[in-house]
Amino acid sequence: MITFPVIVTWVVYFIGAKLYRQKWKAIHKAVNWTTSLYIIAVLIMLKQIFGSSFFGLILIVVLTIFTVIAVLHWRLHTEVVFHNVFKIFWRVCFLLFVFIYFVLVVSGIIQQLIS
């Protein structure tokens, strides 16, 4: 599942689409269930491509994203509802790590072709 999180995302989406019969609810469930797979896959791919662990850096980036979203939510709404903040944070993490995942896949393929 960690090797190919895109396939898992599609499977969760299709199951959600059949279960809920609503496209957006299925998309949200797929995002919620597979974000952690993308984070783990990015960690593993960084270790494979660059030979060192980036766990600390990714932890700092994730905590910074959460903090920025919480502060923006506080500025806009003057009351922080952590459920809403966490939903936004989790979706931003999904978008970020899917992008990083595909960049790492392409760079890994290029690295294999060159060497």
Side-chain angles (χ1 to χ4, degrees):
M1 289 189 327
I2 292 171
T3 307
F4 298 108
V6 176
I7 295 171
V8 177
T9 303
W10 280 106
V11 168
V12 172
Y13 168 75
F14 284 123
I15 291 172
K18 295 290 181 190
L19 219 65
Y20 301 112
R21 300 198 191 281
Q22 294 177 356
K23 177 184 172 184
W24 283 107
K25 192 166 188 172
I27 290 171
H28 288 266
K29 293 295 179 183
V31 167
N32 289 339
W33 284 98
T34 60
T35 301
S36 57
L37 293 178
Y38 283 102
I39 294 171
I40 294 168
V42 165
L43 279 169
I44 292 171
M45 290 174 71
L46 285 170
K47 176 92 170 155
Q48 287 295 105
I49 293 173
F50 298 109
S52 62
S53 177
F54 289 89
F55 179 77
L57 181 64
I58 288 181
L59 184 64
I60 290 170
V61 167
V62 166
L63 290 174
T64 303
I65 291 170
F66 185 81
T67 304
V68 167
I69 291 171
V71 168
L72 286 174
H73 193 273
W74 170 67
R75 291 269 185 172
L76 292 173
H77 303 289
T78 66
E79 182 179 345
V80 177
V81 180
F82 277 103
H83 176 73
N84 294 342
V85 171
F86 189 76
K87 277 184 5 182
I88 295 167
F89 161 73
W90 204 239
R91 291 174 186 168
V92 168
C93 281
F94 177 81
L95 293 173
L96 175 68
F97 283 98
V98 165
F99 176 74
I100 294 171
Y101 176 79
F102 283 114
V103 168
L104 288 173
V105 165
V106 170
S107 67
I109 290 170
I110 291 171
Q111 183 182 20
Q112 287 295 324
L113 290 175
I114 292 174
S115 47

